[in-house]
Amino acid sequence: MINVTRPYLPDREKLNNYIDRIYETAWLTNNGPLVQELTARLQEYLGVENLLLVSNGTSALQVAYKALGVSGQAITTPFSFVATTSSLVWEGIEPVFADIDPESFCMDPSKIEEAITSKTTAIVPVHVFGNACEVEEIEAIACKHKLKVIYDGAHAFGVKYKDRSLLSYGDAATLSFHATKLFHTIEGGAIIFRKKEDYEKARLMIKFGIDDADSIVGLGINAKMNEFQAAMGLCVLDEMDTILEERAKIWNLYQRDLGGLVRILKLNPYSTNNYSYFPIVLENEETLLAVKHAMNEQRIYPRRYFYPSLDTLDYIVPNPMAAVSRDIAARILCLPIYPGMKEHEVAAIIEVIESCLKTKE
Ligand SMILES: *Cc1c(COP(=O)(O)O)cnc(C)c1O
């Protein structure tokens, strides 16, 4: 069986050593030594400052909205994992969708201004599949209308844009370290703030609003990362070079053989590739379902990331139809890609797609 992804399990002995350290100190959570170590190492690895580790990528979004005072309406993308939108709704913020660009799959900046109302306080774009948004244009719009920008960077671990961390753009960028993501801590996430003062606010928010002198200084929630999560993260981080190398190999094989056959992701020319996903866009939904069915018959399980388009959710305030997002969502399929996947498995997937598309002709 080949799934769309497979959680990466790092060296067991190394993990055991970290767990021994947890047993020695009996410090299990609340900014323990391993969380501190992982924070420092991630800041260095990513080339960012003001990084706050949290319990998962969804709480990262929620805490970022709260710390930056987002309320009313936020302009976001309809083409993402549901958490980008559901976290807004959960925080009482109304999502207003700006449609996507059909080639980059990221928010189309030319659609943002028409979505701004007197209630808009923020823009929440997604670097979807690790592809960089039009960060400069988005920043200019945000500046002009005095809006906060929170990037959902759940897919953008390690991506550089013009030689600078993509995650350093925006008032905040969030990461998910869920087991299926490029880098993971089993469950986990992080927020990278532009300003130290926002970071400080969020640091208290994730531990009930209690400060270092044990006073309750404001409203908080529990969104702390624990030491076992950090231990996993420290081990996976040591193996990032291998993880990226293996993913690149698979990504390049797909690109070589499928690039002329189906539409593939058009990467932002100023950004690096982190090889986190390999989406293909088929001609229509019928073809997608045929390809998916043919793969499933061989016990290969690609995923429909991201389907459905989020403007179809029934718990949001109705939005104008996001036509591009709906069109792409109906016919995009993410192919399996993960370290340890064999070349013959990649070849088998390519073959299924090729033969499926040939019989359709
Ligand atoms: C995975 C993901 C999230 C949610 O992260 P969790 O760690 O699973 O809570 C949010 N946004 C996007 C785009 C994601 O892919």
Side-chain angles (χ1 to χ4, degrees):
M1 186 167 88
I2 307 174
N3 275 318
V4 69
T5 189
R6 188 162 192 269
Y8 185 81
L9 291 168
D11 183 72
R12 180 69 185 267
E13 204 148 320
K14 196 179 270 182
L15 185 62
N16 286 346
N17 288 336
Y18 281 112
I19 292 172
D20 286 345
R21 280 172 58 186
I22 299 174
Y23 269 70
E24 277 158 30
T25 60
W27 190 347
L28 303 189
T29 188
N30 203 9
N31 200 30
L34 298 183
V35 162
Q36 291 176 33
E37 193 176 326
L38 182 60
T39 303
R41 286 202 43 207
L42 281 174
Q43 290 191 150
E44 198 200 329
Y45 182 87
L46 298 170
V48 297
E49 287 173 7
N50 303 323
L51 181 147
L52 182 67
L53 290 172
V54 294
S55 47
N56 61 61
T58 307
S59 59
L61 286 164
Q62 290 172 266
V63 171
Y65 306 148
K66 270 279 196 302
L68 293 165
V70 179
S71 65
Q73 294 178 339
I75 295 167
T76 188
T77 169
F79 187 73
S80 182
F81 181 60
V82 64
T84 314
T85 280
S86 61
S87 59
L88 286 166
V89 177
W90 196 266
E91 290 301 326
I93 304 157
E94 189 185 319
V96 176
F97 297 111
D99 208 346
I100 57 166
D101 176 275
E103 303 217 301
S104 72
F105 313 138
C106 290
M107 185 186 276
D108 178 348
S110 75
K111 305 275 174 64
I112 297 175
E113 279 193 299
E114 64 201 56
I116 296 175
T117 72
S118 60
K119 290 197 246 170
T120 311
T121 59
I123 309 174
V124 182
V126 179
H127 301 301
V128 75
F129 305 133
N131 198 18
C133 290
E134 299 291 338
V135 288
E136 280 113 0
E137 277 180 73
I138 292 170
E139 187 160 297
I141 295 164
C143 224
K144 181 173 155 199
H145 296 273
K146 299 198 167 41
L147 305 175
K148 301 286 185 189
V149 181
I150 296 115
Y151 283 105
D152 182 340
H155 306 166
F157 187 85
V159 174
K160 294 265 193 284
Y161 177 86
K162 293 186 179 173
D163 287 332
R164 171 179 147 191
S165 172
L166 179 59
L167 302 165
S168 64
Y169 287 83
D171 295 282
T174 64
L175 284 164
S176 164
F177 300 152
H178 181 257
T180 56
K181 302 293 201 300
L182 180 62
F183 165 81
H184 81 93
T185 60
I186 311 170
E187 292 269 5
I191 317 168
I192 293 151
F193 288 100
R194 175 181 287 165
K195 290 195 198 130
K196 185 91 185 160
E197 64 200 75
D198 294 327
Y199 161 85
E200 285 298 340
K201 218 188 280 179
R203 189 177 71 82
L204 299 177
M205 280 181 170
I206 67 164
K207 48 171 191 139
F208 315 102
I210 298 172
D211 75 4
D212 302 338
D214 264 354
S215 312
I216 302 168
V217 292
L219 178 66
I221 189 85
N222 181 3
K224 304 185 300 295
M225 176 177 278
N226 70 51
E227 292 290 280
F228 284 85
Q229 290 173 290
M232 179 61 88
L234 285 162
C235 294
V236 176
L237 192 58
D238 278 342
E239 295 174 31
M240 278 317 292
D241 286 349
T242 317
I243 292 172
L244 288 169
E245 232 170 75
E246 295 231 350
R247 285 176 166 275
K249 200 176 66 191
I250 297 158
W251 204 97
N252 288 325
L253 287 172
Y254 280 141
Q255 185 197 35
R256 186 192 69 192
D257 291 351
L258 297 175
L261 198 63
V262 290
R263 172 128 61 94
I264 66 167
L265 176 65
K266 188 173 163 212
L267 276 177
N268 187 313
Y270 299 108
S271 93
T272 58
N273 191 349
N274 70 359
Y275 309 101
S276 48
Y277 297 85
F278 198 93
I280 59 170
V281 179
L282 285 314
E283 200 183 333
N284 51 44
E285 189 166 20
E286 189 197 341
T287 309
L288 175 138
L289 293 172
V291 168
K292 184 167 174 270
H293 179 74
M295 283 199 208
N296 290 170
E297 298 241 288
Q298 315 247 358
R299 305 194 354 117
I300 300 163
Y301 300 96
R303 284 289 295 269
R304 295 187 73 178
Y305 290 150
F306 289 99
Y307 178 84
S309 178
L310 300 174
D311 62 313
T312 63
L313 291 173
D314 64 4
Y315 55 72
I316 56 163
V317 175
N319 265 252
M321 177 165 111
V324 181
S325 174
R326 286 196 193 191
D327 172 48
I328 297 293
R331 57 200 180 99
I332 196 166
L333 194 63
C334 278
L335 302 183
I337 182 166
Y338 52 85
M341 200 177 156
K342 304 279 182 294
E343 273 187 41
H344 73 84
E345 294 174 320
V346 180
I349 291 168
I350 292 167
E351 204 180 296
V352 177
I353 296 170
E354 280 172 345
S355 77
C356 205
L357 294 183
K358 222 172 268 154
T359 52
K360 291 222 55 124
E361 265 165 15

